Amino acid sequence: MAFFSKLKDRLFKSSSKLEEGLEAIVDDGGEEELIEANEPAVEANATAETPDPAPVDVPVSVEDAVPEPEPEPEPEPEPVAVVETPIKVSPEPVDALVDPAPQDTAKPGLLGRMLGRREAQKVVRRTVDDDMLESLEDLMITSDMGVDTAMRVTANISERYLGKRLSVDEIKAVLAEEVTRIMEPVAVPLPLYPKRPQVVLIVGVNGAGKTTTIGKLASQFTTAGKKVVIAAGDTFRAAAVEQLQVWGDRAGVPVLTAPEGSDPASLAFDAMTQAEADGADLLMIDTAGRLQNRSDLMEELAKIVRVIKKKDDTAPHNTLLVLDATTGQNALSQVGTFQDLADVSGLVMTKLDGTAKGGVLVALADKYALPIHAIGVGEQIDDLAPFDPEEFARALIGITD
Ligand SMILES: Nc1nc2c(ncn2[C@@H]2O[C@H](COP(=O)(O)OP(=O)(O)OP(=O)(O)O)[C@@H](O)[C@H]2O)c(=O)[nH]1
């Protein structure tokens, strides 16, 4: 199955919520129209404003991302976007002006057919006015896209379409275009640097999906030919360490552990030593997610960073915050909290499958503009996908091909 339809199927809860809302908005005050097949609803110049889709994979350059104190002996670094490896989708153009799903078809009469008239279709359209825009704004807010985003998107729609008549499918296309535009700048694959080992610190609350994401990433990096080492930094929870070992086995990657209750910073230091000795390309360090005791966690993370820096003062090279999409608006506040605790460099959003809260990604992008490196769409090892803004927008809004 193509990944696009997979994501669409998995985001169905978000999309069906939006879809039902849009249908209700258009039905409320909309009127049925008979249109010629493929007749545009609004002037062609509206499409002229459609932005060109940005390239999906935009690796961050090494120079920009990691200040190197000494020049590397290697030739000019080539950032490798590991999350783009397994699945590649070609974005499809958003055609805002064609109503692709007629609800009914009226056959032309004999005379019409003899004169070669095209088939007419029935479609319900509603005039874009203040009431309609307000309903649209409310729908976006209840779909977790955030108040600011909802206001901005409806303002854009108002500017382009006020007074024009749009069908559900046409509004969906316009919305997908707007969401794509917001998401494009944050769609940045996890960068790989020539620095060995590249140290990736994984942070996030318990249950967000850190262990699973580390396992999935380790598998993808390994498939991409990278040597990976994992450090089980949540030393206070034996179950967490065991789970990480299970994922390490699945990915074929060694997991370094320390006795229960021992200092996570000391494990991080040992892991650095071993990763260096092994010539590992990547060291992924899991961390605890006990937000209940914030100051302890802050101290723990700060200490891990301090000892890592003793080995390599440019490390950690990435601090990934793993967020659970099912927590909706809570994911937003977690970003704020973890930005205070650690220097978050990018996000992975898990559990986008089977949630009606996928819209929170739009609010996150709009508010924090942090790179979204990948999304989790299931519990299996392959269920980590590159973040493709257009694909996401179409899946979120429920556009069918
Ligand atoms: N459906 C779905 N489930 C996921 C995804 N990612 C993780 N999970 C599930 O979420 C639960 C928690 O995942 P973990 O990886 O253990 O989360 P954690 O952050 O390491 O949690 P702690 O070990 O408690 O710190 C597990 O049951 C995972 O299978 C995803 O993308 N989709």
Side-chain angles (χ1 to χ4, degrees), residues 16 27-28 45 49 85 96 100 105 133 184 196 198 266 279 325 331 336:
S16 58
D27 281 346
D28 178 22
N45 67 6
E49 296 164 39
T85 311
T105 303
L133 288 167
E184 268 167 355
R196 277 199 210 151
Q198 175 173 335
S266 134

Side-chain angles (χ1 to χ4, degrees), residues 210-234:
K210 293 190 296 296
T211 308
T212 313
T213 301
I214 290 171
K216 291 171 177 175
L217 280 172
S219 164
Q220 293 201 3
F221 282 127
T222 314
T223 307
K226 300 285 161 191
K227 196 165 181 186
V228 181
V229 171
I230 294 171
D234 190 358

